Amino acid sequence: MSAELRSNFLRTQIQDDLDAGRVSAVVTRFPPEPNGFLHIGHAKSITVNFGLAQQFGGQCHLRFDDTNPEKESQEFIDSIQEDVRWLGYEWHGEVRYASAYFEQLYHWALHLIDQGVAYVCDLSPEEARAHRGTLTEPGQDSPYRARSVSENRDLFVRMRAGEFSDGERVLRAKIDMASPNINLRDPILYRIRHADHHQTGNEWRIYPTYDFAHGQEDAIEGITHSICTLEFEDHRPLYDWLIANLPVPHQPRQIEFARLNTSYTVTSKRKLKQLVDEAIVEGWDDPRMPTISGLRRRGYPAAAIRHFCEEVGTSRSDGIVDVAMLESAVRDELNRHAPRAMCVMRPLRLILTNLTEPLELQVPNHPADPSFGHRELILTRELLIDAEDFREDANKHFKRLVIGKRVRLRGGLVIEAESCDKDGDGRIQCVYAQCVTSVPGEDPEDGVKPKGVIHWVSADHAVPATIRQYDRLFAVPDPGKSEDLGAVLNENSLTTNASAMIEPGLANAAPEAVFQFEREGYFVADRYEHQSQRPVFNMTIGLRDTWSDPNG
Ligand code: ATP
Ligand code: MG
């Protein structure tokens, strides 16, 4: 195990199992239900399951837990595979499907019937609820609990054959209606559903429940550690009961850990779907979505997401992680790996009055890492700078361009502002400045140093671009608590700037390439819409955290 990985109870547990010889090789699985796009919480589960397999030299399977045909689709199956790979993981062998085990599960259900520990129950859902009891009161036996093995067999075979309608009957395990654990009060194993399935078509008219399917799937695949989230803790006795009562080829073990929740984020699939269906966002991969495909489109590097998932740790206590931690992991990664470039968001013309010839500049692509190389930029007589980088006059805290004061143009000369033109409303139209140095990087001979550095593009060479500035989708730390998502939205989560000007090389950026736009933040060439003739960049994240910074 690599030294940078902190110990956690899962790693300790697995190491103990290996040391004690309880398992010889680690096999885990990531078992999404294909009923939505994966989100940041799933990224945690992916890094846990694939990560543990990697750390212990084992295997991790990708298995679609596709036991609910109505809500599932091929679109989700495809996106999930793409997201897992993009996060940097490859599953062992073929993609697996719970539905591929339906025949085996059916035979195991018959086995339970034959052993006298499963029965067909005809109670209506309301009657079953009334029989179930409560947390403080035991349940009551179903009147169908005493059915004979042969009658149960006959009815179950006919359930499969499609003879009964949805909800008319179920198959239940016969465990203990008085158990303090409600999951053991004769849980449902199979339901009748006349629904076609994306993998098995119309072959099945009965579908296993999660509880009946999951552990048995684990056993079929030889999973050693079936890692899931805490809400399944109370299901573990049932998981173990089924494994103990069936002739399964392996004895998997379920271990639970706490879900990852981040502030300012919703991760319920129902709510994410609502955001998409109500067109609050533009789709599952809208850059404001906490989906893996949304974070990707936003320019979040996979390595930053993996790093964040490791940083937050793995424990058994629920909590909410500040989303600023994720954002900070993104900044750290991009600060090291994103080349620098210049984009002027609110262009203002700047004329260099004494520049007679264009000047070719070699500008480093990264201030700290020479391996990024240089790019050539041409300093021309007419430039564009950001309107906010100029004032006619200002106090000494304004470290940008002011008439009679100096700044350095990034990668270029030191200039001193002379005058400006204004329109009839007093709005500044154009600034005039003279170059006070002639060699890039040098300081002025008179010893009067520039106040700061500003970015620029050449008015002759710059390319117009659409820049989408993103911010957190929600204005409150706990949007999941609100039933009305519309009421807790951040109204400024998207601002589109169609008048930005970028340095020419950026137009040729590959889709998904991320840059630091000097002094502005990190921006990614949109995966789908960016073209050299029509550049489109999405803001990944600002240079600093403006949510927790009081001066932000
Ligand atoms: P559903 O309510 O549809 O079951 P789910 O979020 O549990 O939603 P699954 O597709 O069943 O979705 O999840 C696949 C795996 O990812 C499961 O093992 C689940 O425990 C895990 N997982 C889901 N959300 C989180 C989360 N926030 N943190 C950690 N693991 C998660
Ligand atoms: Mg689930």
Side-chain angles (χ1 to χ4, degrees), residues 30-33 35 39 41-42 44-45 229 257 259-260 269:
F30 173 62
E33 183 175 1
N35 62 354
H39 54 62
H42 294 116
K44 175 67 192 171
S45 176
T229 36
F257 73 102
R259 289 178 98 81
L260 168 66
K269 282 182 195 164

Side-chain angles (χ1 to χ4, degrees), residues 29-35 38-42 44-46 49 65 80 210 214 227-229 231-232 257-261 267 269:
R29 87 285 170 263
F30 173 62
E33 183 175 1
N35 62 354
L38 298 183
H39 54 62
I40 185 71
H42 294 116
K44 175 67 192 171
S45 176
I46 291 169
N49 282 295
D65 220 340
I80 289 170
Y210 173 91
H214 203 88
I227 295 159
C228 62
T229 36
E231 69 271 24
F232 292 105
F257 73 102
R259 289 178 98 81
L260 168 66
N261 301 301
T267 47
K269 282 182 195 164

Side-chain angles (χ1 to χ4, degrees), residues 108-120 144-150 152-153 171-175 186 189 241 245:
W108 280 338
L110 287 173
H111 177 89
L112 294 178
I113 291 173
D114 291 344
Q115 300 298 307
V117 289
Y119 62 99
V120 173
Y144 304 98
R145 205 173 195 258
R147 269 182 169 148
S148 69
V149 168
S150 61
N152 280 320
R153 233 184 192 271
L171 182 72
R172 298 174 70 174
K174 193 190 284 185
I175 308 181
D186 292 8
L189 307 180
W241 184 91
N245 279 275

Side-chain angles (χ1 to χ4, degrees), residues 373-392:
H374 290 75
R375 66 196 187 282
E376 189 171 282
L377 292 178
I378 303 179
L379 190 75
T380 49
R381 185 178 163 81
E382 185 170 337
L383 304 179
L384 300 169
I385 61 169
D386 196 293
E388 292 190 357
D389 282 341
F390 173 76
R391 283 191 202 160
E392 278 188 276

Side-chain angles (χ1 to χ4, degrees), residues 501-522:
M501 298 294 284
I502 54 176
E503 62 173 71
L506 280 176
N508 300 320
E512 300 198 72
V514 186
F515 297 85
Q516 183 190 106
F517 288 176
E518 301 249 13
R519 304 177 59 234
E520 292 288 354
Y522 295 98

Side-chain angles (χ1 to χ4, degrees), residues 483-497:
E483 259 321 299
D484 181 8
L485 288 181
V488 290
L489 290 171
N490 170 11
E491 307 235 310
N492 301 313
S493 65
L494 168 61
T495 335
T496 302
N497 175 355

Side-chain angles (χ1 to χ4, degrees), residues 8 20 49 147 187 196 247 325 351 534:
N8 64 47
N49 282 295
R147 269 182 169 148
D196 287 357
M325 249 181 99
I351 312 289
R534 225 187 128 271

